[in-house]
Amino acid sequence: MELIVFEQESYYKMMEEMMTMMYKVIRLEKEATMQGLEEEDDYITTEEALKLLNLKSKNRLYQLRRENIIDFFQHGRRAIYSRKSIIAYIQAHKISKK
């Protein structure tokens, strides 16, 4: 077994650089995923809309519909939602670190 010894300051600096790099990779991957979703102009079901918005209850989804924040179409009892408008809503409420 080989033992490597760091000075405390060097260790924390290395950990900070690793965390910075990790957050950058995660942010870039998330942006690429969101960009890919934006390019699709299709419509999704209620269940898919709930997953995309990370909602547990349909009440908030219905509230977003009533307030005309997200686009949807309804035929009878079946509603479909615009993926593009949901992603725009998510982007508008994104909190960015500076």
Side-chain angles (χ1 to χ4, degrees), residues 20-81:
T20 302
M21 188 178 356
M22 184 177 68
Y23 287 130
K24 182 178 179 182
V25 168
I26 290 170
R27 181 179 47 81
L28 291 173
E29 189 62 32
K30 184 176 179 181
E31 288 174 0
T33 301
M34 293 302 279
Q35 183 66 27
L37 291 174
E38 285 178 358
E39 292 173 359
E40 298 176 15
D41 191 13
D42 58 332
Y43 293 91
I44 57 177
T45 64
T46 301
E47 290 76 24
E48 291 170 327
L50 289 170
K51 285 181 185 177
L52 188 57
L53 287 164
N54 196 24
L55 296 174
K56 306 277 187 264
S57 169
K58 294 179 183 178
N59 290 336
R60 178 67 178 141
L61 182 62
Y62 297 153
Q63 181 183 5
L64 294 172
R65 282 174 33 174
R66 280 192 308 273
E67 296 173 0
N68 293 324
I69 294 173
I70 59 174
D71 297 331
F72 75 101
F73 297 97
Q74 189 166 5
H75 181 72
R77 296 187 74 185
R78 180 176 167 88
I80 56 173
Y81 300 85

